[in-house]
């Protein structure tokens, strides 16, 4: 299992779909050759973009019509840097901005995960049950643990399975980051609930 530490308190778990070398560039994993890992990276970026869309924002048609062709090209040895720029060009503005300021592929995913803290809205009702930060940490850890096990069980044989798996990877990493902030009292229950589209 890939447990990649980013920063002093931040962890990013990519479940062997992507790994990074010492310079933060995408490299092969235990399960995927380098070109496949690069395609996985681009797909992961597309899922972060999708999860970061606001309620009134629609996903760019590129992701429905052209993304798979770009991924296939990269898998077959196509220009990764060119493909990365093409994918990012169709993402929402804050994703594009993070890409411009990122120092590496690893840093880019780290930045996307950081902004997910403000957009992780699917668990607000469960967060609402907490009476203090300790209980909130427990709830988040419990949700994360369940997600972790679900991701391990998911394959990526079909488009639906792969999409579901990568969305859960995004959720897992966002929740891990939120849990770290709650545990260090950087975020409270009120903060977590306010960041979501559904108020607690």
């Amino acid at each position: 299992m890939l447990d990649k530490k980013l920063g002093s308190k931040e962890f990013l778990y990519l479940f062997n779909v992507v790994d990074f070398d010492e310079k933060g560039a995408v490299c092969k994993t235990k399960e995927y050759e380098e070109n496949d890992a690069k395609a996985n990276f681009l797909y992961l970026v597309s899922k972060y973009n999708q999860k970061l869309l606001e309620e009134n924002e629609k996903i760019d048609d590129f992701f429905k019509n052209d993304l798979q062709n770009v991924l296939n090209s990269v898998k077959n040895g196509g220009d990764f840097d060119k493909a990365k720029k093409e994918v990012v060009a169709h993402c929402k503005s804050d994703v594009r901005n993070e890409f411009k300021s990122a120092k590496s592929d690893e840093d880019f995913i780290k930045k996307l995960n950081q902004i997910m803290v403000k957009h992780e809205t699917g668990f607000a009702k469960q967060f609402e049950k907490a009476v203090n930060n300790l209980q909130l940490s427990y709830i988040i850890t419990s949700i994360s643990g369940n997600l972790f096990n679900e991701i391990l069980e998911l394959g990526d044989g079909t488009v639906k399975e792969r999409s579901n798996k990568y969305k859960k990877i995004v959720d897992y990493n966002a929740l891990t980051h939120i849990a770290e902030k709650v545990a260090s009292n950087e975020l409270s229950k009120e903060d977590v609930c306010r960041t979501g589209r559904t108020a607690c």
Side-chain angles (χ1 to χ4, degrees), residues 155-182:
D156 56 5
T158 69
V159 172
K160 186 175 181 179
E161 286 173 338
R162 191 171 192 224
S163 177
N164 191 26
K165 180 175 183 174
Y166 279 65
K167 284 179 183 177
K168 286 180 184 290
I169 289 173
V170 171
D171 282 336
Y172 178 83
N173 283 293
L175 286 171
T176 300
H177 195 57
I178 291 169
E180 290 165 355
K181 288 184 172 292
V182 169

Side-chain angles (χ1 to χ4, degrees), residues 91-102:
C91 289
K92 59 179 296 178
S93 60
D94 45 355
V95 174
R96 296 196 304 270
N97 291 337
E98 297 299 347
F99 177 71
K100 290 175 185 175
S101 65

Side-chain angles (χ1 to χ4, degrees), residues 72-181:
N72 289 339
S73 174
V74 170
K75 285 182 180 182
N76 292 320
D79 189 326
F80 175 57
D81 288 330
K82 180 181 177 182
K84 189 163 41 175
K85 289 176 183 175
E86 184 176 5
V87 169
V88 172
H90 293 279
C91 289
K92 59 179 296 178
S93 60
D94 45 355
V95 174
R96 296 196 304 270
N97 291 337
E98 297 299 347
F99 177 71
K100 290 175 185 175
S101 65
K103 299 174 183 176
S104 65
D105 298 329
E106 185 178 28
D107 190 45
F108 181 36
I109 293 296
K110 175 183 173 183
K111 286 175 177 288
L112 292 181
N113 195 53
Q114 288 170 345
I115 61 176
M116 270 296 296
V117 171
K118 296 181 179 179
H119 292 263
E120 189 54 86
T121 61
F123 306 98
K125 288 188 177 180
Q126 289 166 278
F127 295 161
E128 184 181 26
K129 299 173 184 176
V131 296
N132 55 39
N133 266 22
L134 184 63
Q135 194 173 38
L136 180 58
S137 291
Y138 176 80
I139 290 170
I140 296 172
T141 301
S142 176
I143 297 169
S144 298
N146 290 336
L147 275 175
F148 188 94
N149 292 329
E150 288 172 16
I151 292 166
L152 293 181
E153 295 294 322
L154 284 169
D156 56 5
T158 69
V159 172
K160 186 175 181 179
E161 286 173 338
R162 191 171 192 224
S163 177
N164 191 26
K165 180 175 183 174
Y166 279 65
K167 284 179 183 177
K168 286 180 184 290
I169 289 173
V170 171
D171 282 336
Y172 178 83
N173 283 293
L175 286 171
T176 300
H177 195 57
I178 291 169
E180 290 165 355
K181 288 184 172 292

Side-chain angles (χ1 to χ4, degrees), residues 20 48 53 56-57 61 79 98 154 163 198 200:
F20 303 103
Y48 267 104
L53 293 174
N56 60 343
E57 291 181 305
D61 285 342
D79 189 326
E98 297 299 347
L154 284 169
S163 177
T198 303
C200 290

Side-chain angles (χ1 to χ4, degrees), residues 9-57:
K9 294 182 179 179
E10 297 168 41
F11 293 84
L12 191 67
Y13 297 85
L14 298 179
F15 297 86
N16 284 319
V17 299
V18 175
D19 199 358
F20 303 103
D21 63 20
E22 64 280 356
K23 294 181 180 178
V26 177
C27 65
K28 70 177 183 178
T29 76
K30 293 177 182 177
E31 297 178 26
Y32 294 95
E33 292 300 320
E34 183 175 336
N35 288 340
D36 292 323
K38 287 178 175 178
N40 291 346
F41 173 86
L42 296 177
Y43 191 67
L44 185 63
V45 169
S46 78
K47 291 304 164 187
Y48 267 104
N49 179 69
Q50 187 175 350
K51 296 288 283 186
L52 289 168
L53 293 174
E54 302 292 349
E55 287 183 337
N56 60 343
E57 291 181 305

